Amino acid sequence: ANRAGVRYWSANELDELTQRDLSIDMTAKVHSRLKQYLADSINENKTILDNWTIYPKGKPKTLKMAFTSHDNSCADSDNSSSQLLIQVLDEELTVDPGSLQGLQALLQTNAMIGTFNLSGKLIYANPAFRDILGASTIDIYSYIENRQLVDDIYQNGSFDKPMEFETEVKTTSGYRWHHMTIRKCLDPTSGACSLSVSALDVTERRQAQEDLRTQAFTDSLTGLSNRVALVDTLDSHIAANKHFSLLFIYIERFKLVNDSLGYRVSDQLSQYIASNLSEELLNRSSVIARVNDDEYCIAVENCCPASANTISNSLYQKLNNVIQIGNHQIRIRPCIGVCSFPDDADTASNAIQYASMAAFQSKKQRHSIRHFDMDMANNSRKRLSIEADLVKAIERNEFVLNYQPQVLAEDYSVVGAEALLRWHHPEKGIVSPLDFIPVAEETGLIADIGLWVLKQTAIDSVRCKNSGFSLKFSANVSPVQFSNRAFGQTVLDNLEEAGCPSELFGIEITESSLCSDDLPVSEILCQLSEAGVAISVDDFGTGYSNLANLHKYPIDYLKIDRTFVSDVKHAPLLNTVITLGQAMNLTLVAEGVENVTHISRLRSRKCQILQGFYFSKPLEFDDLMLYLDAFSDSSIKGLAC
């Protein structure tokens, strides 16, 4: 410092000044500003003029100063480098306090404030703005990365209203995101029109938002998109009228893997599937989403049905495999459903719903791939309607039982009757069991319906006995009912309540019931058989039973499916079933007997009991009693007119 400098700092000698702590106002912002002055003076070979406030002994003085770089390499100093030379141009200024505080705010604020002329050249930058620009001679195109955006700003012309937006910018710290407001203003030194820019760094906020979006739109286990992201993508495609095909993939047996081997193995299986889907669709414009534990969706842009079929076949071949996870070999099978926009669906919700319908049809019909058609949607709506009505059907007494007589082949005498459930809907009329029984089983309503059937069959058996006819009444039992270990006791309790002798009652079960290792079938059947209840296997030959299965259970009757009776091409199978039943000492009951040819063929093979329309259609209880009365004394007993 020269003598004037020492005087301005309120010191007597230079030594006193060098010993003084001058950092009273040296905040990070002040230090940064002084470094900017030094850099600009060196790089641009110029002197910067500015009003500056110093604080000698804590008392502020505002001075007009010139800042210039000074090469100190020739000086006798241990710190040979460029230094900042500061000259006071005017004596202490008297400045309005508001102006001083405004200048201080500009110096200290984190907000970036600058002015560009209409050529795009920077003409002012506060310290925060200058710090991120890297130079005072920069133009707006070097700051805002999006050149088209800058062109749009300048082409706006009028600037009647401030422009506000977020954009990516280039800074000394790399690419950042700034929230920017641009207004028209006049340059106070020249009066020329210019642009005032104020900006805040919102990079961290945007990154946090992006992280939240990623979490909200991503399946955390596989890294695939989730259902939310899928719907968002489909909505965008539909809004842009962009054609796409949606593939819905259901992985069979996934739940079994999870339940039996644990979530660690099932998680690895999910990651394996996700990796294979991503690999197979690497070069296609598509979004792959995991929408459930065992369900995936793939939306492929500009994909016609033929292309969707090709992709589906490729994915099926890729996934239909045995894979090794740890010490476990796991067999998986994909079921794939396909629907298209705009051919099949008009909303994202419908697209997912219809593709899933097709996938579950694929599972049900054991096909690898199914394409959606409107019959699936109609059937689904029909099933939902049936489900809703089933809940009220028992309360409203809409169910009735019909009984189809069973006659001895040797003399046509009626020895039994199978109870067949019928639903008299008040609006839809007679609803076929083929329509409502599967729905009742899927929803669990079959338990209540089946209990009503058991009770009513037992009551009608007693009524028949009291009318003078000792027939064995049999009721069909769903596999679902066997899931309850108390089912056997429930049957016996109902027989006791109705006063029905167990020898006049039987149950008919399906082959699928015998094939399940998860149900207490053997325990229940043994309990019923020991009590005298007859056990029949219904529609034998159409399921998965084998000789070993039949030997495991106390079976009394083997019912031969009607297809073996009606179709002469099945004669070898008919002979096999009859031979099997005879070898096991079971009573054989043939269903679907409709003509004399059938009767002749069955009698020649010594099938003991016949059931079918030749003898009688299923009858309501009162009509059954009339039937029995009419033919009780006939020379051809049981033969219907």
Side-chain angles (χ1 to χ4, degrees), residues 44 143 163 196 430 441 452 541 634:
E44 301 169 26
Y143 165 53
M163 299 180 66
S196 171
I430 301 296
E441 290 182 330
W452 179 86
S634 172

Side-chain angles (χ1 to χ4, degrees), residues 133-293:
L133 293 176
S136 63
T137 57
I138 200 167
D139 64 32
I140 196 168
Y141 289 99
S142 300
Y143 165 53
I144 298 178
E145 186 70 11
N146 187 337
R147 189 175 186 87
Q148 182 60 51
L149 175 60
V150 178
D151 290 343
D152 291 343
I153 292 171
Y154 279 106
Q155 288 169 10
N156 189 355
S158 63
F159 296 104
D160 292 333
K161 295 181 180 179
M163 299 180 66
E164 190 170 354
F165 51 86
E166 289 185 6
T167 186
E168 193 172 27
V169 298
K170 189 175 182 180
T171 75
T172 53
S173 301
Y175 288 101
R176 307 285 290 177
W177 280 88
H178 284 181
H179 181 96
M180 198 174 299
T181 303
I182 297 181
R183 299 175 175 85
K184 183 181 74 171
C185 67
L186 297 177
D187 182 356
T189 62
S190 67
C193 184
S194 58
L195 299 182
S196 171
V197 176
S198 61
L200 290 174
D201 192 312
V202 293
T203 307
E204 281 70 25
R205 189 256 293 164
R206 285 183 66 95
Q207 185 59 53
Q209 290 176 332
E210 186 61 31
D211 290 344
L212 288 173
R213 178 180 173 83
T214 298
Q215 293 174 20
F217 282 76
T218 304
D219 176 64
S220 58
L221 176 63
T222 63
L224 299 177
S225 298
N226 61 13
R227 180 184 287 271
V228 176
L230 174 69
V231 172
D232 188 62
T233 299
L234 297 185
D235 282 340
S236 298
H237 288 353
I238 292 170
N241 199 30
K242 187 181 295 183
H243 293 207
F244 63 85
S245 286
L246 184 66
L247 282 58
F248 190 103
I249 303 175
Y250 167 74
I251 306 297
E252 279 196 310
R253 304 179 71 251
F254 182 89
K255 187 177 185 302
L256 176 63
V257 172
N258 186 72
D259 292 345
S260 58
L261 302 180
Y263 75 90
R264 294 186 185 276
V265 174
S266 63
D267 283 355
Q268 291 181 64
L269 176 58
S270 296
Q271 291 165 344
Y272 167 86
I273 294 168
S275 175
N276 277 267
L277 292 177
S278 299
E279 179 182 325
E280 193 68 17
L281 293 155
L282 183 62
N283 298 319
R284 288 191 172 271
S285 181
S286 61
V287 58
I288 308 171
R290 182 175 183 240
V291 296
N292 210 332
D293 287 346

Side-chain angles (χ1 to χ4, degrees), residues 13 50 179 252 271 287 344 369 384 394 399 422 437 491 501 533 561:
E13 299 291 340
D50 201 355
H179 181 96
E252 279 196 310
Q271 291 165 344
V287 58
D344 301 322
I369 302 162
L384 286 174
I394 298 178
F399 290 117
R422 297 292 183 263
I437 292 296
V491 174
V533 175
D561 185 70

Side-chain angles (χ1 to χ4, degrees), residues 53-72:
T53 301
I54 63 174
Y55 297 84
K57 296 184 178 180
K59 183 179 179 181
K61 291 181 180 180
T62 301
L63 311 168
K64 185 174 182 179
M65 294 183 177
F67 299 86
T68 311
S69 66
H70 170 60
D71 188 355
N72 195 40

Side-chain angles (χ1 to χ4, degrees), residues 119-134:
S119 297
K121 182 180 177 181
L122 179 68
I123 55 178
Y124 169 76
N126 78 330
F129 199 21
R130 169 64 183 79
D131 205 34
I132 63 99
L133 293 176

